[in-house]
Amino acid sequence: MTLLGRAANSRIRENTRCDYEGKGAVRMERENEVQIYVSVILPSLNVARYIRECIDSVRNQTMRQIEILCVDAGSTDGTLEILEKYVAVDARIRIINSDQKSYGHQVNLGIEAARGQYIGIVETDDFIDTVMYQNLYSYVGTD
């Protein structure tokens, strides 16, 4: 997991629909504005075996003011279908389809789409503790 600096725009609205429209262009439809503290990027490629445990660990964070950006690079093992099921039940989750099988490109797409004050990255074959982002956010808020 990585926690990077502040994102440029840290306000997003619930029930956001995001479509990646090419180099850096993200179209968003918004309702019910809320503050997003952390944008969590999950780069994925053929991780169907692990993705449920990973995304559940991010969804179950004690800090609820997060967005979850799933950046998939053309998975062929069912990963994308699993992610789509999560999108249907959790408005904080968005899927971004990457046209390149490049981890760096996936992370950059996530950063471009991020709306949180901070950016976190979780490897999709891993999982995190439920209080991790709450603790990190509290820590960076202190001088």
Side-chain angles (χ1 to χ4, degrees):
M1 192 300 298
T2 305
L3 189 65
L4 303 174
R6 294 182 188 271
N9 179 357
S10 62
R11 295 191 80 76
I12 196 168
R13 299 167 194 230
E14 287 183 32
N15 301 322
T16 299
R17 181 170 172 263
C18 173
D19 292 318
Y20 182 72
E21 296 179 332
K23 191 166 179 88
V26 177
R27 178 174 50 84
M28 308 196 56
E29 300 168 5
R30 300 176 176 145
E31 305 170 359
N32 306 326
E33 190 170 321
V34 296
Q35 180 74 32
I36 301 298
Y37 296 151
V38 180
S39 297
V40 183
I41 300 170
L42 304 177
S44 65
L45 176 61
N46 295 327
V47 289
R49 181 175 172 190
Y50 310 104
I51 193 68
R52 287 180 186 90
E53 185 174 21
C54 175
I55 202 165
D56 285 341
S57 73
V58 177
R59 286 182 67 218
N60 294 327
Q61 290 295 296
T62 55
M63 173 180 280
R64 304 300 297 164
Q65 301 88 346
I66 63 173
E67 68 175 341
I68 304 167
L69 304 173
C70 301
V71 186
D72 189 72
S75 292
T76 59
D77 68 342
T79 298
L80 187 57
E81 291 78 7
I82 293 168
L83 294 174
E84 289 169 345
K85 289 178 182 178
Y86 278 97
V87 167
V89 297
D90 193 331
R92 299 173 302 162
I93 301 172
R94 293 187 283 153
I95 297 173
I96 301 169
N97 293 303
S98 173
D99 59 347
Q100 297 179 26
K101 289 179 172 52
S102 161
Y103 177 83
H105 183 70
Q106 289 175 273
V107 170
N108 286 337
L109 291 176
I111 290 170
E112 289 174 5
R115 300 287 182 249
Q117 292 176 339
Y118 294 93
I119 295 172
I121 302 168
V122 178
E123 305 297 327
T124 47
D125 62 350
D126 208 346
F127 59 92
I128 58 176
D129 189 88
T130 57
V131 297
M132 187 180 84
Y133 283 114
Q134 186 70 51
N135 290 344
L136 286 171
Y137 190 80
S138 297
Y139 178 76
V140 297
T142 61
D143 290 328

